[in-house]
Amino acid sequence: MHAHLLDEPSRMFAADDLGQLGVLYRRIPVDASGDELNRIKRERGYVEQDEVALSSETPNLDAICAKFDKEHRHTLDEVRFVVEGEGIFDVRDAGDRWVRIEVEAGDLIIIPANKYHRFYLTDSKAIRCVRLFLNNEGWAPLYRQES
Ligand SMILES: [Fe+2]
């Protein structure tokens, strides 16, 4: 994980700094992630789990990415454990500036419910993630301009 202010890259954010923004970050070895993810599910009440993979082979990749590359929030935590590949989450700091968080295999990130963010693939256009959910009520982005 590498995180910094988008418009001031020398301002780095460590895991504790992300915690100040309400974003939980943990490093978990992919090979040993089963037990740790189960523990997080128990601790935080996540009951649903699936896996999502995006790559240049994914049909309608641009349309899928276009749903999440505009600023949005969800009514549930966004929980992603990266198994393969890499991605970019931008979240707002207290001053409404973007903090760019680049994640790779072994990174767990939890963006809490209702925290505005956006997501991009990197140039490699490949990521595979485990997703955890509090319930199965669906997963819809609520865009900032519309809410
Ligand atoms: Fe999202």
Side-chain angles (χ1 to χ4, degrees), residues 27-86:
R27 180 85 190 157
I28 305 172
V30 174
D31 290 347
S33 58
D35 287 350
E36 184 66 9
L37 291 180
N38 282 333
R39 197 173 64 74
I40 288 165
K41 284 167 81 172
R42 278 197 306 275
E43 274 179 14
R44 299 179 62 96
Y46 303 127
V47 295
E48 298 287 329
Q49 175 171 345
D50 70 7
E51 198 171 290
V52 62
L54 296 174
S55 76
S56 51
E57 316 279 285
T58 304
N60 302 315
L61 179 66
D62 289 346
I64 293 167
C65 290
K67 284 164 67 176
F68 300 111
D69 66 5
K70 290 177 278 297
E71 186 170 10
H72 66 278
R73 62 184 170 90
H74 309 275
T75 55
L76 303 175
D77 293 356
E78 179 159 335
V79 187
R80 300 290 182 270
F81 176 64
V82 185
V83 177
E84 269 185 325
E86 53 196 16

